[in-house]
Amino acid sequence: MSFNEAFKAIADPNRRKILSLLKKGDLTAGEIAEHFDMQKPSVSHHLKILKQADLVEDRRVGQHIYYSLNTTVFQDLMSWFYDILQKEGDES
């Protein structure tokens, strides 16, 4: 996982909304697209970026691909933030 890719991915409000939707459970691209006023290829593009950053995983079930959060990456990001905050607190 690259922190740069993760930060780039979450910088976009549409991708943050996708992550919020997936927090509630696994969804297909079509189900995700229902929550946006954009074409399905645009949603697929956002999902691709989230997958490249390892923030989202996909799995095929029959003809459908379900997307889910990769919580391990979020834990790594939170750990990194915590370490930064701890180091600042230790220096004062």
Side-chain angles (χ1 to χ4, degrees):
M1 177 209 49
S2 162
F3 283 139
N4 289 342
E5 287 180 1
F7 288 126
K8 177 183 173 186
I10 62 176
D12 183 273
N14 291 313
R15 291 191 283 270
R16 290 195 304 268
K17 184 175 178 181
I18 291 171
L19 295 172
S20 293
L21 291 169
L22 292 174
K23 180 176 72 169
K24 300 171 188 169
D26 299 356
L27 296 170
T28 65
E31 292 169 332
I32 293 168
E34 292 173 2
H35 296 270
F36 293 91
D37 185 26
M38 67 174 82
Q39 300 294 321
K40 287 184 183 179
S42 295
V43 172
S44 293
H45 172 73
H46 288 299
L47 286 167
K48 179 182 175 184
I49 291 171
L50 291 168
K51 281 178 50 181
Q52 288 173 340
D54 289 330
L55 295 170
V56 169
E57 300 173 324
D58 63 348
R59 64 181 164 74
R60 181 175 289 279
V61 179
Q63 293 183 351
H64 300 284
I65 298 175
Y66 285 87
Y67 296 89
S68 61
L69 289 179
N70 181 0
T71 55
T72 302
V73 173
F74 286 101
Q75 291 169 347
D76 290 346
L77 286 170
M78 293 305 294
S79 176
W80 180 80
F81 278 118
Y82 180 78
D83 287 347
I84 294 294
L85 294 174
Q86 280 299 107
K87 290 176 184 170
E88 286 181 5
D90 290 345
E91 293 177 1
S92 53

